[in-house]
Amino acid sequence: MVVFECPDASVDTGAKRFVLRRGLYAYVGSCGASCVKRITRHLRRPLKRHWHVDFLPCAPLLAVVFRLDEKELAQRLSARLEYVPRFGSSDDPRALSHLFRVQSLRELLDVISTPSVHYSR
């Protein structure tokens, strides 16, 4: 997961347009076998845009790797946090999003540390 500080912005990925309000956002993604390379890429903000997250006009603040599965983490966050609908979740059709707006890092940690429970909206 990468946490970004974002301005008010309209994000156009070419296929979709998303609206962001100023604040902190947590992006949930998988790292795979080359986790360090992928996270470093997101923290450097590459010019070549491949994933939705590459289009964010935001400043990366930190990255955290969890043992929790990407899909489980996205479901847990979407049950308790504001989210940008369908952002970064095209490979996870059951997910509402993979980009979540948080009020503070404390709130984010509280949501993540909540025991795994089946949430429904």
Side-chain angles (χ1 to χ4, degrees), residues 68 73-81 100 102 104-116 119:
L68 191 60
L73 182 56
Q75 284 213 327
R76 191 178 290 192
L77 295 177
S78 67
R80 304 225 352 243
L81 296 173
F100 306 90
V102 297
S104 66
L105 292 177
R106 169 51 101 192
E107 177 189 34
L108 180 59
L109 292 174
D110 287 346
V111 171
I112 291 168
S113 64
T114 301
S116 185
Y119 297 104

Side-chain angles (χ1 to χ4, degrees), residues 16 52 86-93 98:
K16 295 181 184 175
H52 279 153
R86 307 304 312 153
F87 189 96
S89 59
S90 57
D91 63 343
D92 184 6
H98 277 220

